[in-house]
Amino acid sequence: MDRFVFLTFDGLSRGAVYAAFALALVLIWRAARIVNFAQGAMAVATAYVGYSVADATGSYWLGFLVAITAGLLLGAGVERVVMRFVDHSSPLNGVVVALGLVLIIQGVLGMIYGNEFRPAAAPLSRDAFEVGGIALLSRYDLFVFGAVGAVVVLLTLLFTRTPTGLRMRAAAFAPDVSRLLGVPVGGMLTLGWALAAGVGSLAGMLVIPTELGLHPTAMDIVFISAFTAAVLGGLDSPIGAVLGGLLVGLLLSYISGYLGATVAPMAVLALLVVVLLSRPDGLFARSKARAA
Amino acid sequence: MTALQDRAATKKAAHRQRTRLSPWIVVVVGAVIVVALTYTLPPFRTYQLATVGAYLCVTAGLTVLTGLNGQLSLGHGALMATGAYTLALWQNKFNLLPVGILVAILVTTAVGAVIGLAAARLRGPYLAGLTLAVAVVVPSITSTFDETFNSDQGLSVMLNPPPESMTNEQWQAWLCWGGALLTVLVLALLTRGRFGRDMKAVRDDETAARLAGISVARTQVAAFVVSAACAGLAGALFAVIAQSVSPGAFPLTLSLFLLMAIVIGGLGRLSGALIGAVLLVALPAVAHEIGEAAGSQRLEGNLALTFFGVVLVVVMLAAPGGLASLRIPFKKKGH
């Protein structure tokens, strides 16, 4: 029972990261109808930048801020320089270009930093507090919940309460009409990519200390888990992404805890297959978003 | 006027003749060229030639799947791993290579059929995501069942020495190109007939294909199964060339490389698969030399990675028209 409680909290902490990462996927999907397969690699790249700054200055928090800023810039840059020019007549074109970006980013990171795992320290203790002899949460878990929760709240406020959020939604759902009404649709798309990549960087910074550390391919499995979470939520629904992320995190925590860590990736694959084949519209999507 | 018509007619006939070059002739000419090359090239180049042949098996299959049928697979690296591991396990138990290759193809075909059944119900990014997951899962399978697959270290492959009349490299080149030419022949004959037309019809317009009485799901599964068989053969040949298999030999980047190869080579044409296979061997070799010249080990593998990525992005941005065969109907929301 103690173990079950511990695994549940651990799963929610993992799930919060997957939720943030899935949210980033959903943001781009809603804005541009593209699944950004380069998201994991982009997050790793900014995490490298963040940890380089942290090493150079001795301040983790400065590195943390730099990483997220780098994420915002990288997202905007990728949209402006590459994604804007993709021929969207087939959804596969965007996928192929994103996969090309994965190769570029992993290659460049390998050239600069090498292909071995580099240690990445967590800023806060990862020892769990004990309540009545049961290990619950660590300081770091609380930080993860706080950071992801803040992002979810800020994004919700941005999209529902601000004029910019309204313009972004309008640009995504009715680009032609929005353009006629004076909304800078291209700018909104760039902003959407920047926000998504910033959220992805945050997720990367949060998850990398809990995994093996920094490596050009460190986020591959995290990406698959987050993709599964986003698909579980319907790919169109931010709430779905968050709930999907928490569900996937819990599932993976139980499976790693009871069956062994190496089984977890296979469980993600199995879950993805089951979700895609049984509920192809996701648990939370309203209309036929899946037709693309 | 009639002269003009005549000229147009001869032009058309010439064009038809060029595109309808019999695959049998191509294969025979190819075999003669390969045999001639194995007796003229130095051993290392012959080894590279063998590798091109092994790559050609999988790029040809992937060309059919992605180019003609419009299904994007990132799981073909994992399918190659299936073939390679099957061959290794078989060889270490029975040491009977021809049967082993056949078994490797059969096992991979079965695995491909399972993925293909799921793939036939998925489109675009969903299929890509599923196959990506398949590719990422390979190392965790080998470590979970480490008594069979021996985790990250992998397995060595037991092989009999080649016939005395030829060197090891020559034997490898003959074996790989035997497989490659057979693959190309089978695929060319398959895609020229009804199956090829069905696949293109499904790729271009699923609804129309269904109206014309084509079973969309059956065609898609069949295309996936055929290309999986090719990947299984390629994996088995790689295991023979390297004399070992390990998860490190089949990373996600391998699947991305294969995608790059068929995109650059020109989707939908088997000649494009050959160009892609040559590039897959040539570009890393060039990157290796640049890395050595610069004296940097870090540069070596990563230079090829970066270069492949840049090429993939540039080709997709600059020549999307050349990728017309990639198009599958994009159904807008609410229609």
Side-chain angles (χ1 to χ4, degrees):
Chain A
M1 190 60 202
D2 292 5
R3 190 163 170 69
F4 181 78
V5 173
F6 171 74
L7 288 176
T8 304
F9 280 104
D10 180 57
L12 289 175
S13 167
R14 276 191 201 212
V17 175
Y18 297 150
F21 211 68
L23 202 56
L25 282 174
V26 168
L27 278 178
I28 292 183
W29 175 258
R30 282 171 75 110
R33 297 282 134 182
I34 286 178
V35 174
N36 181 18
F37 278 84
Q39 184 143 25
M42 286 163 67
V44 174
T46 56
Y48 267 106
V49 174
Y51 273 97
S52 299
V53 171
D55 283 346
T57 60
S59 162
Y60 172 85
W61 299 108
L62 186 62
F64 189 79
L65 282 181
V66 169
I68 291 172
T69 316
L72 292 168
L73 293 175
L74 182 62
V78 163
E79 198 280 325
R80 281 272 151 152
V81 178
V82 181
M83 286 299 173
R84 177 158 294 199
F85 304 102
V86 174
D87 172 13
H88 288 300
S89 57
S90 158
L92 290 186
N93 292 355
V95 175
V96 174
V97 170
L99 293 169
L101 285 176
V102 171
L103 288 177
I104 296 175
I105 292 173
Q106 291 185 351
V108 170
L109 286 178
M111 276 191 259
I112 301 174
Y113 293 100
N115 285 41
E116 57 280 348
F117 279 97
R118 290 158 70 96
L124 299 164
S125 158
R126 295 194 60 222
D127 298 329
F129 294 118
E130 290 195 12
V131 177
I134 302 174
L136 292 180
L137 287 165
S138 66
R139 280 175 208 279
Y140 189 68
D141 290 333
L142 290 175
F143 168 58
V144 169
F145 286 132
V148 174
V151 163
V152 171
V153 170
L154 285 176
L155 284 179
T156 312
L157 287 178
L158 171 72
F159 277 102
T160 56
R161 296 290 155 89
T162 67
T164 311
L166 183 63
R167 284 195 199 102
M168 286 179 74
R169 283 187 292 156
F173 283 103
D176 292 337
V177 178
S178 309
R179 200 170 279 119
L180 285 173
L181 293 173
V183 174
V185 172
M188 291 299 125
L189 197 55
T190 311
L191 183 61
W193 272 84
L195 284 177
V199 175
S201 298
L202 171 77
M205 286 302 282
L206 293 177
V207 77
I208 279 170
T210 67
E211 303 274 329
L212 287 164
L214 278 170
H215 186 272
T217 63
M219 296 287 276
D220 281 2
I221 290 181
V222 177
F223 176 83
I224 300 290
S225 309
F227 178 73
T228 308
V231 169
L232 195 62
L235 209 49
D236 227 358
S237 150
I239 306 161
V242 172
L243 292 177
L246 293 176
L247 272 173
V248 171
L250 280 175
L251 182 84
L252 288 191
S253 176
Y254 294 140
I255 286 176
S256 325
Y258 291 117
L259 299 176
T262 56
V263 187
M266 281 186 273
V268 180
L269 176 63
L271 179 66
L272 185 59
V273 171
V274 169
V275 174
L276 281 174
L277 295 187
S278 64
R279 289 220 33 125
D281 285 326
L283 300 177
F284 307 97
R286 273 160 292 161
S287 56
K288 292 204 73 178
R290 185 98 6 170
Chain B
M1 211 43 207
T2 47
L4 208 65
Q5 275 170 349
D6 277 352
R7 247 172 68 189
T10 34
K11 228 178 179 176
K12 230 182 201 167
H15 182 68
R16 195 157 52 223
Q17 227 163 23
R18 199 166 62 224
T19 52
R20 287 272 171 94
L21 194 60
S22 163
W24 293 95
I25 296 176
V26 174
V27 165
V28 169
V29 172
V32 170
I33 294 175
V34 168
V35 170
L37 283 176
T38 54
Y39 283 105
T40 47
L41 290 174
F44 180 65
R45 298 285 169 214
T46 313
Y47 164 78
Q48 286 184 317
L49 182 70
T51 318
V52 172
Y55 270 126
L56 180 55
C57 297
V58 59
T59 52
L62 201 55
T63 295
V64 168
L65 179 71
T66 307
L68 294 184
N69 199 222
Q71 299 190 76
L72 182 65
S73 169
L74 304 174
H76 270 55
L79 289 171
M80 284 172 67
T82 310
Y85 271 100
T86 309
L87 182 94
L89 292 171
W90 173 274
Q91 279 301 103
N92 295 347
K93 200 150 200 182
F94 304 107
N95 196 9
L96 197 63
L97 189 59
V99 185
I101 292 178
L102 211 60
V103 170
I105 295 174
L106 287 177
V107 170
T108 315
T109 308
V111 173
V114 175
I115 305 175
L117 279 172
R121 298 179 56 180
L122 303 172
R123 301 291 171 270
Y126 296 96
L127 177 56
L130 178 68
T131 51
L132 181 74
V134 172
V136 169
V137 158
V138 170
S140 81
I141 294 178
T142 62
S143 8
T144 305
F145 305 103
D146 61 346
E147 282 177 22
T148 316
F149 300 121
N150 196 22
S151 297
D152 289 346
Q153 284 81 45
L155 307 165
S156 57
V157 180
M158 195 194 287
L159 289 169
N160 293 331
E164 276 181 20
S165 55
M166 52 174 78
T167 66
N168 195 27
E169 284 81 8
Q170 279 172 331
W171 180 73
Q172 287 174 342
W174 283 43
L175 183 71
C176 290
W177 275 91
L181 292 173
L182 194 67
T183 305
V184 169
L185 181 66
V186 170
L187 289 178
L189 294 176
L190 260 183
T191 54
R192 265 158 204 244
R194 192 196 160 102
F195 181 52
R197 280 198 307 279
D198 285 0
M199 282 199 298
K200 282 180 221 162
V202 168
R203 175 195 69 195
D204 292 335
D205 190 337
E206 273 184 35
T207 315
R210 200 170 278 129
L211 282 173
I214 297 168
S215 166
V216 171
R218 195 185 300 158
T219 308
Q220 286 184 322
V221 174
F224 210 99
V225 166
V226 166
S227 76
C230 301
L233 173 62
L237 293 176
F238 269 102
V240 171
I241 299 180
Q243 301 186 5
S244 72
V245 288
S246 66
F250 305 97
L252 174 62
T253 42
L254 173 64
S255 295
L256 300 188
F257 282 4
L258 295 176
L259 179 66
M260 185 223 58
I262 62 164
V263 166
I264 292 180
L267 275 170
R269 272 180 248 117
L270 287 174
S271 54
L274 176 64
I275 301 173
V278 171
L279 287 177
L280 280 178
V281 175
L283 291 183
V286 173
H288 176 78
E289 274 172 28
I290 295 176
E292 274 202 334
S296 163
Q297 279 200 326
R298 269 186 194 173
L299 210 58
E300 235 180 86
N302 293 312
L303 198 61
L305 220 61
T306 315
F307 191 71
F308 280 13
V310 170
V311 170
L312 195 55
V313 171
V314 168
V315 168
M316 284 308 287
L317 294 188
L323 302 166
S325 47
L326 239 179
R327 278 178 199 168
I328 61 173
F330 185 74
K331 291 178 202 130
K332 288 207 180 78
K333 209 179 146 190
H335 283 266

